[in-house]
Amino acid sequence: LISCVLVLRCLYRSEGSYQLRFSKLTMKKAYLMQIFQVGVPAGIQSTVINFSNALLQSSVNSFGSVAMAGYTAANNILGFLYVSINAVTQACMSFTSQNYGAGNYHRIRKIMIRAQGCVLVVGLVLGNAATLAGRVLLSPVIEAGLVRMGIVCTTYALCGMMDVMVGGLRGIGYSIMPMLVSLVGACGLRLLWIATIFQLPQFHTIQTIYWSYPISWAITF
């Protein structure tokens, strides 16, 4: 709150081209529609995917308190991986939209390829490093957490590749299509996995739940 107030004060007192005047703040319909066109599908996608993750966690809960604690502890480590992956995704979306707006279409493919290369390296290096250091990071619930990290962290680069592809598409103005693909792949497929594969006696294990993540990432990508 304090930093927000100070930034607004700085912008208001500035004499530059970015000077802020509260009396001149208005909403322009054309810009508002563009914001909604990209923002609403992105928001729906994020909400529904989080809903599917909640359902997956409820399946994990059926394995007891130790499994729940391991899931939660491993999820905290995954938060750091997500921030690293998401940074590349946001960069890809920004550079793609800037070049798309400037008409430099020949650069978009190069941006996508380089962003995929960056996210692949970041995902593989940090994901496997987190797994190797898992016994130190997850000392209270080591075994349960390592099961999740061994499957999800080591393959987290697939999540990054999926997200970068979505970021690139949003950068050129396509938001509904990647939302639908993500809902079917990253969300619908996981729910189908829990309703079918996970219900089979020979696959009714916590590892089966975790394998739904890399498989859904790969198919969505």
Side-chain angles (χ1 to χ4, degrees), residues 11-209:
L11 292 172
Y12 184 78
R13 297 182 64 180
S14 171
E15 297 297 331
S17 59
Y18 51 86
Q19 184 185 54
L20 175 63
R21 284 291 174 265
F22 294 102
S23 60
K24 294 185 178 180
L25 286 177
T26 58
M27 289 187 181
K28 293 189 176 181
K29 184 178 179 181
Y31 295 145
L32 195 63
M33 293 305 296
Q34 290 178 4
I35 292 172
F36 282 143
Q37 183 181 355
V38 175
V40 171
I44 293 174
Q45 176 184 329
S46 178
T47 301
V48 177
I49 289 178
N50 286 330
F51 174 71
S52 72
N53 288 337
L55 291 179
L56 287 178
Q57 183 164 0
S58 69
S59 299
V60 172
N61 294 348
S62 65
F63 290 92
S65 59
V66 175
M68 292 165 60
Y71 181 96
T72 303
N75 228 32
N76 292 334
I77 307 303
L78 276 169
F80 290 99
L81 295 181
Y82 172 77
V83 171
S84 304
I85 293 296
N86 189 250
V88 181
T89 300
Q90 297 302 321
C92 175
M93 185 161 56
S94 297
F95 282 114
T96 299
S97 60
Q98 289 169 3
N99 282 279
Y100 185 76
N104 297 322
Y105 305 123
H106 63 284
R107 293 183 179 177
I108 294 176
R109 185 179 295 273
K110 293 180 181 178
I111 293 169
M112 176 61 67
I113 292 172
R114 290 174 183 175
Q116 291 288 4
C118 289
V119 83
L120 188 61
V121 172
V122 169
L124 288 175
V125 171
L126 294 184
N128 284 277
T131 304
L132 291 173
R135 292 191 176 276
V136 177
L137 299 171
L138 302 174
S139 53
V141 283
I142 291 175
E143 296 305 325
L146 282 176
V147 171
R148 175 167 166 77
M149 292 178 68
I151 296 173
V152 179
C153 285
T154 55
T155 59
Y156 205 68
L158 291 171
C159 177
M161 295 174 72
M162 176 189 72
D163 279 351
V164 164
M165 189 68 75
V166 171
L169 289 170
R170 285 181 183 156
I172 58 174
Y174 292 96
S175 189
I176 295 179
M177 189 267 283
M179 177 198 72
L180 295 176
V181 173
S182 295
L183 293 185
V184 173
C187 178
L189 183 62
R190 290 177 190 173
L191 300 182
L192 181 64
W193 182 274
I194 294 299
T196 56
I197 304 296
F198 180 64
Q199 300 305 320
L200 299 174
Q202 65 270 35
F203 294 120
H204 197 77
T205 64
I206 198 167
Q207 289 90 337
T208 301
I209 297 174

